[in-house]
């Protein structure tokens, strides 16, 4: 509790749709390397943002695992989309370091752009096969490590697709006193 007050960054875990977070300044995309639409998070964000999001992404493609880039959010109710390419589990190694890099780089970009409120999905735990509990641990540990360096980010929301994933993320958040 004391650390949370010191760092002044609120962390929460909600069940919902990453494409429907109108009170957030930025949403994070679990992108593919080509920054194209697809299934899961990328499909939902591209459908809501419109075709300009793919066009904007083409200037940055291809992404490397662990990398993050920022674009406009177009028709989404947010100012920015930050696109992260998570590791494919058991293929892109070391997967924990690459996943941590996604969260670190996304938060760094957000902070540099003066973003106060940012929503993350559960990167890599869909098509890329990362076990949810292990991924949640990497995400929360990374936030715990970098939060004191953040100047602008004050609110980090995890938007989980299922209540079961929400509970997994929230239990680890509490375990780490975030
Ligand atoms: P990755 O390719 O990085 O694994 P996915 O988009 O396939 O990314 O899935 C990441 C996680 O996001 C999965 O747990 C999936 O259930 C969840 N998810 C899928 N659609 C949405 C959505 N609209 N909002 C939030 N989370 C979503």
């Amino acid at each position: 509790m004391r650390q949370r007050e010191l760092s002044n960054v609120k962390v929460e875990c909600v069940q919902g749709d990453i494409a429907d977070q109108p009170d957030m300044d930025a949403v994070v995309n679990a992108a593919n390397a080509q920054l194209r639409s697809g299934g899961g998070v990328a499909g939902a964000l591209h459908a809501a943002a419109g075709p300009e999001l793919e066009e904007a992404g083409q200037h940055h493609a291809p992404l490397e695992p662990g990398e993050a880039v920022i674009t406009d959010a177009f028709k989404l109710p947010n100012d920015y989309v930050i696109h992260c390419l998570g590791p494919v589990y058991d293929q892109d190694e070391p997967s924990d370091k690459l996943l941590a890099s996604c969260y670190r780089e996304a938060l760094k970009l957000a902070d540099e752009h003066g973003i106060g409120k940012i929503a993350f999905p559960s990167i890599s735990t869909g098509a890329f096969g990362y076990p949810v509990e292990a991924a949640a641990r990497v995400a929360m540990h990374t936030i715990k490590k970098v939060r004191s360096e953040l100047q602008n980010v004050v609110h980090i929301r995890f938007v989980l697709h299922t209540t079961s994933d929400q509970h997994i993320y929230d239990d680890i958040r509490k375990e780490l006193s975030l």
Side-chain angles (χ1 to χ4, degrees):
M1 202 56 196
R2 191 172 138 72
Q3 280 187 333
R4 179 176 167 169
E5 281 160 16
L6 280 176
S7 81
N8 204 26
V9 178
K10 171 182 173 177
V11 182
E12 67 176 345
C13 306
V14 305
Q15 188 273 325
D17 178 358
I18 192 73
D20 185 22
Q21 303 299 319
D23 60 330
M24 293 280 115
D25 302 317
V27 288
V28 174
N29 182 16
N32 47 63
Q34 297 305 322
L35 290 149
R36 301 232 178 252
S37 186
V41 167
L45 288 176
H46 280 274
E52 294 97 333
L53 189 61
E54 259 197 9
E55 277 167 41
Q58 295 325 294
H59 303 290
H60 300 286
L63 285 189
E64 294 292 325
E67 201 180 346
V69 297
I70 190 164
T71 67
D72 195 288
F74 302 98
K75 293 194 183 71
L76 280 159
N78 317 100
D79 296 330
Y80 298 100
V81 178
I82 295 179
H83 308 257
C84 294
L85 179 61
V88 176
Y89 193 67
D90 266 348
Q91 190 175 307
D92 296 321
E93 298 290 355
S95 55
D96 57 343
K97 300 248 176 341
L98 292 171
L99 186 58
S101 167
C102 285
Y103 287 99
R104 200 172 51 242
E105 294 302 311
L107 287 169
K108 192 170 152 212
L109 268 180
D111 214 50
E112 285 167 2
H113 285 75
I115 289 165
K117 300 178 177 190
I118 180 169
F120 283 92
S122 177
I123 298 170
S124 279
T125 65
F128 287 179
Y130 211 114
V132 176
E133 188 177 335
R137 266 185 203 287
V138 170
M140 295 294 172
H141 271 293
T142 306
I143 286 170
K144 191 158 183 165
K145 256 193 211 160
V146 305
R147 65 182 173 170
S148 62
E149 297 158 21
L150 300 172
Q151 308 287 317
N152 294 304
V153 175
V154 289
H155 186 168
I156 300 170
R157 175 181 295 161
F158 285 89
V159 181
L160 293 318
H161 213 35
T162 63
T163 45
S164 127
D165 286 357
Q166 182 204 354
H167 288 138
I168 291 170
Y169 270 74
D170 208 40
D171 285 350
I172 293 168
R173 178 191 66 75
K174 287 180 202 150
E175 193 184 307
L176 296 184
S177 307
L178 280 165

